[in-house]
Amino acid sequence: MPVYKGMEILVADADTKIVAGSTDSSKIGQEIDSIDMRNYRCVEKQNGAYIVAVMVEDSYYLQGSLFAILIVGIYLTLASCCMVYMLSKVMKEKYEKEKFRYTSNTDELTRCYNRRAYEEDINKLDLTKEWVYVSMDINGLKNANDSFGHAAGDELIRAAADCMKNTVSVNMVRYTEWAVTSSLSSLQKIYRSLKTF
């Protein structure tokens, strides 16, 4: 009989249960119930006057299991790496998009919405509802620039923008000009804010 690594085949007499043939010749002549089968998986089948037993070592199954576990582990590792890579690309793209949107709609000096954002806001206005348009300007900026320098003038513009941003959503239309568009219900809040300037 051919011998397969990790597998044994036994043929025993059904009445006496003595092994008459085996892939391992040392088991011939032993009683089938006395053979140590602790490390084997065994299938016995009685066919007429004979019992046929096929025994497979547990390590044979274990080798296949380890190989399968190794393949699944490698697959899961690669899949995880691909998912992390794709997620990082999506997050980076989203961040870049938000950064571009912020820089394209924001004035660098004042961090107020710029003229582009102002025009978008004006185009979005619902003309069927009441709304308020307030235009503001800084007087005396030229004198501040001439007397104290452009850095002081920039600081004056930033301070005015900060005061306005703390109370209302404001758009910088030109270098020293701001516009506020709001619903009529916020008119009192805007009026109180304007009195502080």
Side-chain angles (χ1 to χ4, degrees):
M1 288 184 150
V3 178
Y4 298 99
K5 187 175 181 185
M7 180 186 284
E8 289 185 33
I9 301 172
L10 305 170
V11 178
D13 187 282
D15 296 329
T16 62
K17 295 194 178 184
I18 301 290
V19 176
S22 173
T23 53
D24 182 2
S25 59
S26 66
K27 294 192 169 91
I28 295 175
Q30 295 182 17
E31 191 174 322
I32 199 164
D33 293 333
S34 68
I35 296 174
D36 184 16
M37 296 186 191
R38 284 181 291 186
N39 297 326
Y40 291 91
R41 294 185 185 188
C42 184
V43 176
E44 290 183 12
K45 181 86 174 175
Q46 186 169 348
N47 187 6
Y50 295 101
I51 298 173
V52 178
V54 179
M55 301 184 332
V56 181
E57 285 184 28
D58 285 338
S59 63
Y60 179 80
Y61 286 107
L62 196 57
Q63 287 173 356
S65 297
L66 288 175
F67 184 69
I69 290 171
L70 179 66
I71 292 204
V72 168
I74 291 170
Y75 172 77
L76 289 175
T77 303
L78 289 174
S80 298
C81 290
C82 288
M83 286 174 57
V84 167
Y85 175 73
M86 293 302 290
L87 183 65
S88 67
K89 279 192 73 127
V90 167
M91 295 300 287
K92 183 178 179 183
E93 187 177 310
K94 184 177 179 184
Y95 171 75
E96 292 295 327
K97 194 181 214 180
E98 288 295 320
K99 183 179 174 185
F100 176 74
R101 185 173 179 204
Y102 176 78
T103 55
S104 66
N105 287 328
T106 308
D107 176 65
E108 190 175 342
L109 177 66
T110 62
R111 302 288 185 245
C112 289
Y113 293 119
N114 61 14
R115 183 171 187 89
R116 183 175 183 277
Y118 161 77
E119 288 173 0
E120 284 180 11
D121 287 350
I122 290 294
N123 290 332
K124 287 181 194 173
L125 280 176
D126 185 2
L127 300 177
T128 61
K129 295 182 179 176
E130 294 180 324
W131 50 276
V132 178
Y133 181 89
V134 179
S135 180
M136 296 171 271
D137 187 24
I138 297 178
N139 293 330
L141 180 64
K142 182 176 178 352
N143 291 339
N145 279 338
D146 292 344
S147 302
F148 304 107
H150 286 282
D154 288 349
E155 192 59 39
L156 176 64
I157 292 170
R158 263 193 235 100
D162 287 342
C163 289
M164 288 182 275
K165 282 192 303 188
N166 288 337
T167 52
V168 292
S169 176
V170 66
N171 297 82
M172 187 168 185
V173 180
R174 284 191 203 92
Y175 189 60
T176 61
E177 234 177 274
W178 287 273
V180 176
T181 54
S182 181
S183 64
L184 193 59
S185 60
S186 339
L187 184 60
Q188 291 298 328
K189 181 180 176 185
I190 294 171
Y191 181 70
R192 282 193 303 270
S193 301
L194 290 175
K195 286 178 80 175
T196 62
F197 293 119

